[in-house]
Amino acid sequence: MSGGEVAGILVAVFWAILVSFLAVALARLAQTLRATTKLVADVTEQAVPLLADASTAVRSAQTQIDRVDAIASDVQEVTSNASALSSTVASTFGGPLVKVAAFGYGVRRAMGGRGKDVPAKQTRRTVIVGRAIPESRRAKRANRSKRD
């Protein structure tokens, strides 16, 4: 065997090993693509019902939001009506009732001043600097400061 024949055999063996590695790599790539295709199909099968359920939930939520919006607008209308009614009642009866109450107070004062249930009006005391406090008040103040 000559050197050229040995080199040819080595090149042929190298190409055979290279082709073997490429065949194994292509086989594994084909398996990966099949697994990926199966995975995508399974996800699609599960995602379609989930999307349908989500769509139903969104529609239901929209319906509830529309109902709440209608209720809120009704409450706003009732509030404005109550405010208008309150203003009307206050303007209709408020002024005359205040006048009647003031008239009753004036009559009560004019007819005799105080009744038995009204306490006597306390006289206002003036504090003069440098004057001594009566003994009874000093004792009350001392007791008060001891409690604090």
Side-chain angles (χ1 to χ4, degrees):
M1 275 203 185
S2 70
E5 290 175 349
V6 172
I9 290 174
L10 285 174
V11 170
V13 169
F14 173 74
W15 277 106
I17 292 172
L18 182 64
V19 168
S20 306
F21 282 133
L22 288 175
V24 169
L26 286 174
R28 288 192 179 171
L29 182 62
Q31 282 180 339
T32 304
L33 287 175
R34 271 187 249 126
T36 304
T37 304
K38 185 176 184 260
L39 180 67
V40 168
D42 290 343
V43 167
T44 302
E45 285 179 17
Q46 293 176 1
V48 170
L50 286 175
L51 289 174
D53 290 345
S55 176
T56 304
V58 167
R59 283 191 203 109
S60 174
Q62 183 62 39
T63 303
Q64 295 300 325
I65 288 173
D66 291 341
R67 287 181 184 168
V68 168
D69 189 34
I71 290 170
S73 65
D74 291 343
V75 166
Q76 184 179 8
E77 184 179 340
V78 167
T79 303
S80 64
N81 289 343
S83 175
L85 179 65
S86 172
S87 298
T88 302
V89 168
S91 65
T92 303
F93 296 112
L97 284 178
V98 168
K99 289 178 183 175
V100 167
F103 178 74
Y105 177 75
V107 167
R108 217 174 332 130
R109 291 286 294 213
M111 292 302 286
R114 293 179 265 184
K116 292 180 183 177
D117 58 342
V118 177
K121 188 174 182 181
Q122 294 182 352
T123 60
R124 194 166 183 175
R125 296 183 181 180
T126 306
V127 176
I128 300 173
V129 178
R131 283 195 70 161
I133 299 174
E135 187 62 38
S136 62
R137 287 186 55 205
R138 269 192 237 143
K140 286 181 186 177
R141 282 189 180 182
N143 289 338
R144 195 177 339 157
S145 64
K146 286 180 188 175
R147 280 186 281 171
D148 294 341

